[in-house]
Amino acid sequence: MSYTEEVYAKVVEKNPGEAEFQQAVSEVLDSLKTVIDANETEYRKMALLERLVEPERIISFRIPWVDDQGQVQVNKGYRVQFNSAIGPYKGGLRFHPSVNQSILKFLGFEQIFKNSLTGLPIGGGKGGSDFDPKGKSDGEVMRFCQSFMTEFCKYLGPNQDVPAGDIGVGGREIGYLYGQYKRITGRYEGVLTGKGLTYGGSLIRTQATGYGLVYLLNEMLEHHKYSIKDKTIVVSGSGNVAIYAVEKASQLGGKVVAMSDSNGYVYDPNGINLDVVKDIKEVRRGRIKEYVEKVPQATYTEGKGIWSVPCDIALPCATQNELTLEDAKKLKENKCFAVAEGANMPTTLDATEFIQENGMLFLPGKAANAGGVATSALEMTQNSMRLSWTAEEVDQKLHQIMKDIFVKCEDASRRYGLEGNYVAGANIAGFEKVVDAMKAQGIV
Ligand code: NDP
């Protein structure tokens, strides 16, 4: 058995029932096999992979809170502090009923390599709760966030662990979390990112993941002599990442014809009117089906199926494992030629293989959505310097970071004879820096 196979077998044995975590480890180890085989003796001796797949720490805690009816509710809270070799733990908080330890470990593991790829000094972490903010009043969300932070603040610090938002955690939640952190600790410091602009947030952070995705997509397309202009694009989701991916893709001349939420998708042959979507999602916190009430030529379809809409480029921006092998086949049949992941691991392993084997271009989430965490790190820098950059400055830095990420992925894939395989390229480039730092810091 090779070293990677051995370590993967141990991960399965030691993390039973954690399907998402096992899937993420399998994908990363598979694509690192060439690099690891070349250094097998050294890595084995220092148990490098065994250390890499084991989180440095997992904190799990109870979150009691009182709902509007006076009923006490209890949720689970977690923080996976996965790897701090290259900087303080950094990664979002997710509030969604599906949250469990496996999902947060998969996200935290991926985050290590993503953060490394940005070139900025940030380690990997992820956290969250099975709390569902959907349908809750502002008061309920606030009381929940306050209870979450009352326990969580013990493990945070600007040089220790700096979370951001993720699914279900946007500006409102970050505000409540920050307020409680400050109240308990008495410290006004950059301990969360994605903050509001009046209390230490960075311009462009809201747009960063979606914009970054399209910047990287653009780099890849240009490298392969394509362009976004006049391409038909389908974007799943209608949350933070999806909305700003649509905005940037449209600015670059692409035509986005479909978006979704967890209930269904809308198809608009004239191109999605983003103002309508922003009003539904950012202002009224409504459902995507309301789009057809405002835009008569659009149609709404209940359920999954967004990937059956013909397109040139597919941008999955909702959640993990939302694009299956069947979906990938449908995309191919409809002549889609590029898939770039805005969400984390939205494409199943077999779908990813199908896409790559069938000559479609593919950008993995850990490279393609790294603009969010990169801009979070820029927010940390501004907080430390006690100043704010202009939107143009931040956008220009984000754009450059995404260009650099493409060069790193392209270069790493080429060095190992895997040209054009950006899954391998991203994993190898991210891995090399982390491993260097781990080796230098001894057995810790
Ligand atoms: P949001 O909560 O803003 O939006 C998520 C969107 O995905 C919503 O439209 C939601 O629909 C949909 N969705 C969520 N779960 C499901 C599901 N099980 N099935 C179908 N649709 C679903 O989250 P973000 O936009 O912030 O995050 C989206 C993805 O991008 C996640 O994978 C996240 O980890 C990743 N990401 C986010 C970053 C960020 O900066 N925000 C950075 C890097 C990655 P509904 O409203 O119906 O639930």
Side-chain angles (χ1 to χ4, degrees), residues 59 61-65 93 95 142-156 176-185 192:
I59 301 136
F61 49 100
R62 177 175 74 197
I63 313 162
W65 57 281
L93 295 174
F95 292 170
M142 182 181 74
R143 290 192 294 280
F144 170 80
C145 288
Q146 290 178 339
S147 183
F148 185 94
M149 186 50 89
T150 302
E151 178 60 26
F152 189 35
C153 70
K154 299 167 192 167
Y155 311 98
L156 297 188
Y176 293 147
L177 290 164
Y178 189 68
Q180 184 73 350
Y181 176 84
K182 188 164 60 70
R183 181 194 196 188
I184 296 175
T185 63
L192 285 159

Side-chain angles (χ1 to χ4, degrees), residues 94 96 114 126 134 166-168 205 209 237-241 260-262 281 287 317-319 342-344 369 372:
R94 176 176 293 192
H96 192 271
K114 180 190 308 189
K126 198 83 188 187
K134 234 180 271 162
D166 189 69
I167 292 179
R205 174 60 189 91
T209 310
S238 47
N240 174 263
V241 179
S260 63
D261 63 19
S262 53
K281 290 292 175 183
R287 309 307 301 157
C317 295
T319 193
N344 284 310
N369 67 33

